[in-house]
Amino acid sequence: MENWNRNRGLTQEQVAKQRQRFGRNELTPPQRTPWWKELLGKFKDPTIRILLAAAVISLGITATERYALGNTEVNFLDSIGIFLAVLLATLVGFFSERKSAKEFALLNRVKEDITVKVLRDGQIGNISIGDVVAGDLVRIDPGDKIPADGVVLEAMGLTLDQSMMTGESVPAKKKIYTEPLDLERLPEVTLGDDAFVARGTMVVDGYGTFWVTRVGDKTQMGQIAMALAQEDETRQETPLTAKLSTLARQISVAGIVGAMGIFTVMAITSTIQSPLLGMLECLPAWVAGLSLVSLVCGIGMVRQILKPFFAGMGMELKSVRYEALAAIPMVVTVLTLLVGFWGMTFGGNVEAGVLLLKEVLLAFVVAVTIIVVAVPEGLPMMVTVSLAMNMMKMARENCLVRRLVASETIGSATVICTDKTGTLTQNRMTPVRIYAGGNEYPASEFTRLQNAPEWQALVEGIAVNSEANLHVENDTVTAIGNPTEGALLKFLHEHQTDYLSERNAHERVFELGHNSERKMSLVAVRDGDRETGYLKGAPERILSRCSTMLQGGERVPIMPHREAIQNVLDAASQDALRVLAFCEFREHTPVVGDAWLDLCDGCFVALVGIADPVRQEVPHAVQTCQEAHVQVKMITGDALPTAMAIARAAGIYHGTDDELCLDSSGFAQISDAELPEAAEKIRVLARSTPMDKLRLVKALHQNGEVVAMTGDGTNDAPALKYADVGLSMGITGTEVAKEASDIVLVDDNFKSIVTGVWWGRTLYQNIQRFLQFQLSVNAVAMLCALIGPLVGIPLPLTVTQLLWINIIMDTFAAMAYSTDPPRPHTMREKPIPRNAHIITRTMGMTILVASLYQVAILFAVLFGGWFVDPGHRYDFGISPTHPEYLAHNLQALTVFFTVLIMFQFWHKFNCRALHSNESPFTMITKNHLFLGIILSITAVQILMVQNRTIGQFFRTEPLSLRQWLDITLLTLTVLPVAWFGRFLGKLLEKKEP
C-alpha cells in the first residue's frame, strides 16, 4: 500500500485491496435456530398434543377392532386424517412464522444501513457503513455513530458517548493519534487510549476525522457480539398483542369448560347405556375397586396432565375448588375406560367393551373438537404477522418502522409535533437575499455583490466557519453535511469561489459547533500574529455581539444602521426566509476557548436570507390531519415571524384567537400549571430548545393526547423517546436521533407522517376485521360442536374438518385481511382512544347476529334434509360408532360441512365492513391477495368434496352442480343478515352515554 496520501484518502484500487485483505465492515449475524428445531417446537402446543393423543388412541382402538376382533370393515382413515390435518396446520404456522422472521431480518438490515462520510480520491462522499474498509479516513460530526474502530487524526472539541462499551455515563474527550501511520501494519489500540474510537459509540460534540483500523467482526463490538452469540430480539409484544392474548385466554377458558362438560355428559351416558354396567351391579367389590382406582388416577391426571395443559395455555389451576371440578371429567374418563377394559378381559363381553371404548373415544374427539374450535391459539401470532406485513408496507411508503409497537401506536396519534426544515419545506435551501455594507442584494444582483468590499469577508465567514463539504462529479454538485452550510457552499461554488482554498488557508485553533442552545457556531483561526473568530447563526445572537459593521471596506459603528437591519429582518421573516447573520472578531491577544462567546466588539459582516419553500403536498397533508382530528404543531429553531409565515403557508396556523404562536422565551413564561391548557392552543413554537420539546410533550400527555414527535438532532433524543411515537429524519437526522426514534422518515417528508398515521389506523382496523371473522367462525363451529351432541348428532364436524376451518380463519384469513388497503374515510374518523376495547359494539352485534343465523340455518339444513337426495336425510337413530353410520349420513354431513364453509366464503367479505355504512366490497379489486386467498380456499373446498380419495379423510362425498348452486345462493343471505347486525350495533353505539 504505497503512495497513500492522508490528504486524499484511499484510491479505488487501494479500497479493493483493503476489502480483500480485511473483509467488509459487516458483523456476522447471530446463528439462527435450525428450521427443524423450530418445526419441532410447533408440536409443543398443548392443543396439538391433544390431537396427536386422540389420533394415537383412535389408531389403537381401530387396530384392536380390525386385527383382534376381525372386523375388516373398519379402516384407519379417521386416524390418518387427524395426523395429516395436524401436520398441515403445523406446517402452515411454521412457514408463516418463517416468512415473518425473514421480513423482520430484512427490516433490521435496512435500519442498520447508515451512511458514512469518507475521504477517497481527494473528495468527501457518502458511502454505506458496510463499504468502509481498513485505512479509510472517516469524517464524524455531532450525532454520528462511529462505523468502525480507529484512531483520531483530527479533532476539534471531539467528545464521544462510550457508555455502551465502557458503562461510563460521562462522555469521553478524544485526542489526536500521534504515532506514524502504516497501512501494512495497523495499530493495536484499545478503549484505554484517548485517541481510540470504537464502533457503535456516538459523537456527542465536536468534529473530527479518524483512520479506520478494524472493521466487521474484528472491531471490539464485533468481538463482544461473537462472544455473546445471542439472537437479537426483534419481536416484542405490543399492547395490542397483549390485549388479544388476554382475549384469547378468556375464550379458551369458555371453550375448555364447555368441552369438559360435554365430554363428561357423553361418557356418563355411554356408561349407563352399556350392558357392562348391569353386569357390574352384581359385583360390588369390582365396583368399589374400579371406583377407588378411578378416583386416585383421576386426581393424579389433574396434577400431571391438566395442570400443565392449562399452564401451557397461560392459565393456572390454583384453587382446590377448581382442581376438584377439573377432576370430575378425569375420574369419569378413567372409570369408563376401566369398565370397558373389564368387559374385554374379566367380564367376558369383548364386543361391549370395545363399543364402550369407542364411545369414550368419540366423546373425547368431540371434546377435542370443541377445544380446537374455541382456542384461538394462533391469534397473537397472526397479529404479529399482520404487524410485520404492515411494517413492510410502511417501509415502501418511506416510513421505516424501527420498533414493532410504533406501527400500531402511530394510528392513535392525536397530535403531531413536526419540525420545519425538510419536513414541511423542500430542504432545497438557496440564498436569495443578502444584506451587506448597508446595501441589500437580491439574487439577481449577487454578481454585483462580488465586486463589493464586503464580499471577501462573507466568503471567509462561509468557507471557514463550516463543516460541510461539496462532492463534485461531472456537473453534479452534492452537499455533504449540514444542509444549511451545504447551501452556502453551493452558493460560493456557483459564483466561482473555491471554498476549500479559503478554508485551508487558515489554521484553526478553536471551534464550537452550532446547537439548539447556542444557536450559532464559531471557528477561530490564527493569521500571523493575530487570531480571527468567525461567527454565524441566529441574527439576535450575532448582532448582540457586534459594535461595528463592515461598510465600504471600513469598520463603522453599527448603531446608526440597526433600524435598517431590523427592517431587513422583518421583511425577510414576512417572506418566510431563514436568516443567518455573520460577524468576525479580530484579536491580537489570544482568546482562550469559550471566552470568544463573551466578546462583544465584533464586526457585523452580512445577513443572508435563505429560501426553503413549503413542499407542494404539505398543505393537503395538514388538511388531511385536521379532518382526521389530529392537531399539527410546528416546532422549529427559526425566528417566530419566519415560522409563522411557513405555518400559514402550510395551513397549520390560521391567525384565529384560539391559536398561539410562541418563541422559546414566551413558552418559558407559561407556568407548569397553565401549560396543559396552553399546549392545546399552541400552533407554532419558534426558537425552540430540546427541553421545550420535552416540556410540551409532557403537557400534552397530561391532556391525554397521543403524541408523535419529529426530530433530527442529537439533543432531540429525549423528546423522541418520551413521545408516544418518535419520528427521526432519514436524510438530515443524526444517528443518535434515529436510535431514539420509533420510525425513520426516509424522505424527511411530512406527508410520510400522515401516510404512517393512515397505515397505523388501517392496521388496527384490519386486525379488527380479522378478529371479527375469526370470532364469528369460532362461535359457529363451537355452537355446532356443543349443540350437536345434545340433539343427537355427536360429531357434526370431524377434527380434520375443524382443523381445516382453523387454517382458514387463522393463517389465511390473517394474511387476507392484513393486506386490505387504507380506506379514504379512515382519515375522516377520530383517533382510537388508548383504552378503547378492540371489539366494538357494532362488531359484537355483527358476530352475534351472523353466528346465530348461520347455526340456525346449518341445523335447519340437517333436520330438514335440504339439498340432500331422497333417502339420504340424516338418520338420528344411528350412532357414529355404528358401521352403517356413514353409509346413511355421509351426503347430509357433506352438505352440512359445505354450507358452513360457503357461509365463511361470503362472511369473509362481510367482515371487511366495520360499520353499517361501509360496503363489504369496498376497494376489493385493490386487494389481490384477499381475492387470491378466498378463491384458493374455495377451490380446495370443492376439491375436498368432489375428489373421493381426499373426501375419505374429510368425511365428504361429491355433490351435484345443482347442490352447489343451491348452497351458494342460501349462504349468500349472510350478507344482508350481517348488515342488519352492523345496523343494530350502530343504534346501540348511538345510545351510549
Side-chain angles (χ1 to χ4, degrees):
M1 281 288 178
E2 299 177 356
N3 302 321
W4 178 68
N5 187 338
R6 63 179 289 176
N7 294 319
R8 294 187 57 82
L10 298 176
T11 64
Q12 291 302 319
E13 181 183 357
Q14 290 172 327
V15 168
K17 290 182 179 179
Q18 291 292 84
R19 183 172 292 125
Q20 184 177 11
R21 180 182 176 188
F22 296 103
R24 286 180 58 82
N25 188 31
E26 295 175 344
L27 300 179
T28 303
Q31 186 175 1
R32 290 187 58 182
T33 305
W35 66 266
W36 57 271
K37 282 189 177 181
E38 291 185 6
L39 181 59
L40 290 178
K42 301 295 294 180
F43 291 92
K44 294 180 181 180
D45 183 273
T47 310
I48 296 295
R49 290 183 175 182
I50 287 178
L51 292 172
L52 290 174
V56 170
I57 294 172
S58 173
L59 206 62
I61 292 177
T62 303
T64 300
E65 191 172 5
R66 184 180 180 89
Y67 300 113
L69 301 180
N71 186 357
T72 57
E73 294 185 2
V74 299
N75 55 57
F76 297 96
L77 290 179
D78 285 343
S79 307
I80 296 173
I82 295 176
F83 278 119
L84 290 176
V86 168
L87 185 61
L88 179 61
T90 304
L91 288 176
V92 168
F94 167 72
F95 285 116
S96 177
E97 288 190 5
R98 293 279 293 184
K99 180 177 182 294
S100 177
K102 288 181 180 179
E103 290 174 345
F104 272 109
L106 176 61
L107 284 173
N108 282 333
R109 285 198 297 271
V110 172
K111 78 179 185 182
E112 291 171 0
D113 186 17
I114 64 174
T115 57
V116 181
K117 297 182 285 290
V118 175
L119 176 64
R120 289 179 179 173
D121 288 323
Q123 290 202 76
I124 290 182
N126 286 328
I127 65 171
S128 171
I129 185 174
D131 293 330
V132 173
V133 298
D136 262 328
L137 289 170
V138 179
R139 172 73 186 185
I140 47 178
D141 300 307
D144 283 351
K145 179 189 285 187
I146 304 299
D149 289 359
V151 291
V152 177
L153 300 186
E154 297 176 4
M156 189 64 69
L158 184 62
T159 306
L160 267 61
D161 177 5
Q162 300 183 154
S163 57
M164 65 171 294
M165 301 293 291
T166 64
E168 297 178 2
S169 58
V170 179
K173 291 186 177 180
K174 291 300 172 180
K175 297 180 179 179
I176 294 175
Y177 185 73
T178 56
E179 299 295 325
L181 304 180
D182 184 356
L183 280 175
E184 299 298 327
R185 299 181 62 184
L186 298 173
E188 293 285 347
V189 189
T190 63
L191 276 171
D193 195 306
D194 290 337
F196 178 75
V197 294
R199 175 177 177 142
T201 57
M202 296 284 189
V203 180
V204 177
D205 201 2
Y207 305 86
T209 301
F210 77 93
W211 189 53
V212 177
T213 59
R214 294 287 182 269
V215 295
D217 291 334
K218 295 179 181 179
T219 62
Q220 293 205 9
M221 175 184 277
Q223 295 296 312
I224 294 172
M226 292 179 67
L228 293 176
Q230 291 181 346
E231 186 174 356
D232 181 32
E233 287 292 332
T234 56
R235 301 184 188 183
Q236 53 179 310
E237 187 176 50
T238 69
L240 177 62
T241 308
K243 187 187 296 184
L244 292 177
S245 298
T246 302
L247 177 64
R249 284 195 295 271
Q250 293 170 346
I251 298 170
S252 301
V253 169
I256 292 171
V257 170
M260 293 173 68
I262 289 293
F263 172 79
T264 303
V265 171
M266 291 182 67
I268 292 175
T269 302
S270 300
T271 305
I272 292 174
Q273 293 176 350
S274 174
L276 297 177
L277 189 62
M279 297 170 61
L280 280 170
E281 289 178 353
C282 304
L283 304 169
W286 273 106
V287 173
L290 292 177
S291 300
L292 182 61
V293 173
S294 301
L295 185 64
V296 173
C297 292
I299 294 174
M301 290 172 68
V302 171
R303 298 289 178 90
Q304 300 300 319
I305 299 176
L306 271 190
K307 290 191 74 172
F309 170 72
F310 277 103
M313 301 292 293
M315 296 171 279
E316 297 289 343
L317 287 178
K318 295 181 179 180
S319 170
V320 176
R321 179 175 57 185
Y322 291 147
E323 286 192 27
L325 289 173
I328 295 175
M330 296 295 100
V331 172
V332 171
T333 301
V334 176
L335 180 60
T336 307
L337 291 174
L338 289 176
V339 170
F341 284 120
W342 177 84
M344 294 172 61
T345 53
F346 300 100
N349 193 339
V350 176
E351 184 178 349
V354 170
L355 181 61
L356 182 58
L357 291 178
K358 290 180 69 175
E359 295 284 353
V360 173
L361 178 62
L362 176 64
F364 182 71
V365 170
V366 170
V368 170
T369 302
I370 294 172
I371 292 175
V372 168
V373 174
V375 177
E377 72 284 340
L379 179 57
M381 184 273 290
M382 295 321 301
V383 170
T384 304
V385 172
S386 298
L387 287 168
M389 296 182 74
N390 193 74
M391 289 169 69
M392 295 298 291
K393 294 191 195 77
M394 290 180 68
R396 288 194 289 270
E397 297 289 344
N398 295 316
C399 292
L400 177 60
V401 180
R402 299 187 68 256
R403 293 180 177 84
L404 189 63
V405 65
S407 62
E408 69 176 65
T409 308
I410 193 171
S412 302
T414 58
V415 176
I416 298 175
C417 297
T418 176
D419 197 1
K420 176 186 75 69
T421 304
T423 309
L424 298 175
T425 60
Q426 298 177 15
N427 201 22
R428 294 178 180 174
M429 289 177 278
T430 307
V432 296
R433 193 179 305 168
I434 296 176
Y435 176 85
N439 297 311
E440 193 168 355
Y441 300 89
S444 60
E445 298 182 15
F446 282 170
T447 304
R448 185 165 63 89
L449 173 63
Q450 288 184 267
N451 299 319
E454 296 79 21
W455 172 253
Q456 183 58 32
L458 177 60
V459 168
E460 291 178 1
I462 293 175
V464 177
N465 188 1
S466 175
E467 297 304 324
N469 288 276
L470 296 182
H471 181 81
V472 182
E473 186 172 347
N474 299 326
D475 294 331
T476 304
V477 180
T478 306
I480 308 296
N482 182 280
T484 304
E485 293 184 346
L488 294 172
L489 294 184
K490 282 185 177 181
F491 163 73
L492 295 185
H493 180 80
E494 290 168 359
H495 290 82
Q496 291 75 48
T497 302
D498 185 0
Y499 77 94
L500 275 178
S501 297
E502 293 289 344
R503 184 182 294 177
N504 296 333
H506 299 82
E507 178 191 356
R508 296 191 179 197
V509 294
F510 183 70
E511 184 173 352
L512 280 176
H514 180 280
N515 64 30
S516 55
E517 295 293 338
R518 283 191 290 269
K519 298 191 184 300
M520 58 182 176
S521 61
L522 161 71
V523 171
V525 300
R526 182 175 290 113
D527 293 322
D529 60 348
R530 71 179 183 186
E531 291 185 357
T532 302
Y534 296 96
L535 269 73
K536 78 169 185 295
E540 66 270 20
R541 297 294 180 92
I542 300 298
L543 290 171
S544 64
R545 291 170 166 77
C546 294
S547 60
T548 61
M549 67 176 284
L550 198 62
Q551 186 177 41
E554 301 291 334
R555 295 191 173 202
V556 300
I558 194 174
M559 188 57 66
H561 299 273
R562 286 202 177 270
E563 184 178 350
I565 292 173
Q566 188 59 50
N567 291 336
V568 171
L569 289 172
D570 293 341
S573 296
Q574 290 176 2
D575 293 337
L577 300 182
R578 182 179 185 183
V579 182
L580 289 178
F582 291 79
C583 81
E584 62 182 33
F585 292 86
R586 293 186 178 180
E587 302 295 326
H588 291 281
T589 303
V591 180
V592 180
D594 293 351
W596 280 101
L597 298 179
D598 298 328
L599 302 177
C600 57
D601 58 346
C603 178
F604 168 71
V605 174
L607 295 174
V608 178
I610 301 174
D612 187 11
V614 173
R615 294 178 184 264
Q616 291 183 352
E617 63 272 21
V618 163
H620 181 263
V622 171
Q623 183 182 355
T624 301
C625 284
Q626 292 165 350
E627 292 174 353
H629 305 274
V630 178
Q631 296 183 39
V632 181
K633 303 179 187 297
M634 188 176 80
I635 306 176
T636 178
D638 283 344
L640 183 57
T642 303
M644 291 174 64
I646 292 291
R648 281 183 182 274
I652 296 173
Y653 174 61
H654 303 90
T656 60
D657 294 337
D658 60 346
E659 294 178 322
L660 281 179
C661 295
L662 303 171
D663 59 12
S664 182
S665 59
F667 184 70
Q669 293 174 10
I670 302 175
S671 66
D672 290 341
E674 298 171 334
L675 188 56
E677 181 180 353
E680 294 292 333
K681 298 180 180 180
I682 290 176
R683 295 295 177 269
V684 176
L685 183 57
R687 293 300 190 206
S688 63
T689 67
M691 292 311 297
D692 289 337
K693 287 187 174 183
L694 188 58
R695 189 169 176 238
L696 179 60
V697 172
K698 290 181 177 180
L700 291 169
H701 277 171
Q702 291 182 41
N703 295 332
E705 306 286 2
V706 179
V707 183
M709 169 69 73
T710 70
D712 56 6
T714 303
N715 291 336
D716 290 330
L720 291 174
K721 277 189 169 294
Y722 196 81
D724 297 279
V725 182
L727 302 120
S728 62
M729 303 297 112
I731 300 174
T732 60
T734 64
E735 290 306 316
V736 174
K738 292 176 185 177
E739 286 290 328
S741 66
D742 303 298
I743 296 175
V744 178
L745 301 178
V746 177
D747 58 354
D748 289 12
N749 196 336
F750 180 81
K751 182 184 176 183
S752 298
I753 304 176
V754 181
T755 303
V757 174
W758 197 8
W759 274 106
R761 291 187 176 190
T762 300
L763 166 68
Y764 188 87
Q765 291 177 350
N766 283 346
I767 292 174
Q768 285 184 311
R769 293 181 177 105
F770 163 57
L771 197 58
Q772 184 172 243
F773 175 72
Q774 189 188 50
L775 293 182
S776 296
V777 180
N778 265 5
V780 172
M782 196 166 99
L783 284 173
C784 289
L786 284 170
I787 295 173
L790 299 178
V791 297
I793 315 170
L795 203 61
L797 297 166
T798 66
V799 173
T800 51
Q801 290 173 345
L802 263 299
L803 283 170
W804 168 241
I805 294 171
N806 244 17
I807 292 172
I808 292 174
M809 69 185 184
D810 268 2
T811 307
F812 292 130
M815 292 172 63
Y817 287 119
S818 67
T819 55
D820 237 21
R823 311 288 203 273
H825 65 77
T826 301
M827 291 301 283
R828 293 193 293 270
E829 299 171 356
K830 291 184 178 180
I832 302 160
R834 290 175 183 268
N835 57 351
H837 200 284
I838 193 168
I839 306 295
T840 65
R841 292 201 175 190
T842 299
M843 290 173 60
M845 188 56 65
T846 304
I847 294 168
L848 178 64
V849 172
S851 301
L852 291 178
Y853 173 75
Q854 291 180 58
V855 172
I857 294 297
L858 281 165
F859 281 100
V861 166
L862 206 57
F863 278 92
W866 300 357
F867 318 131
V868 178
D869 295 335
H872 288 275
R873 293 182 61 169
Y874 188 84
D875 189 344
F876 292 88
I878 303 179
S879 170
T881 58
H882 195 280
E884 298 296 320
Y885 176 76
L886 285 182
H888 286 277
N889 298 325
L890 185 58
Q891 188 177 128
L893 291 170
T894 301
V895 169
F896 184 90
F897 179 47
T898 305
V899 170
L900 174 61
I901 296 298
M902 290 307 296
F903 262 135
Q904 308 324 313
F905 173 88
W906 296 113
H907 198 50
K908 263 196 175 73
F909 291 99
N910 254 329
C911 293
R912 295 182 73 247
L914 297 174
H915 310 287
S916 59
N917 56 354
E918 186 178 7
S919 169
F921 302 99
T922 299
M923 302 178 71
I924 188 63
T925 56
K926 293 188 176 181
N927 192 345
H928 299 141
L929 183 61
F930 181 93
L931 293 174
I933 286 175
I934 197 170
L935 291 176
S936 299
I937 289 174
T938 306
V940 172
Q941 179 65 24
I942 293 172
L943 181 66
M944 192 184 298
V945 172
Q946 298 302 115
N947 186 287
R948 292 186 181 276
T949 303
I950 299 176
Q952 289 180 335
F953 294 101
F954 287 91
R955 201 183 67 179
T956 60
E957 69 172 23
L959 300 177
S960 67
L961 179 60
R962 176 61 184 271
Q963 287 173 311
W964 276 103
L965 291 174
D966 290 342
I967 290 171
T968 302
L969 290 174
L970 174 67
T971 54
L972 179 64
T973 57
V974 77
L975 291 174
V977 170
W979 175 87
F980 179 70
R982 293 193 295 272
F983 178 74
L984 290 178
K986 184 178 180 181
L987 293 178
L988 289 175
E989 288 183 352
K990 285 183 177 180
K991 293 181 180 180
E992 286 183 349

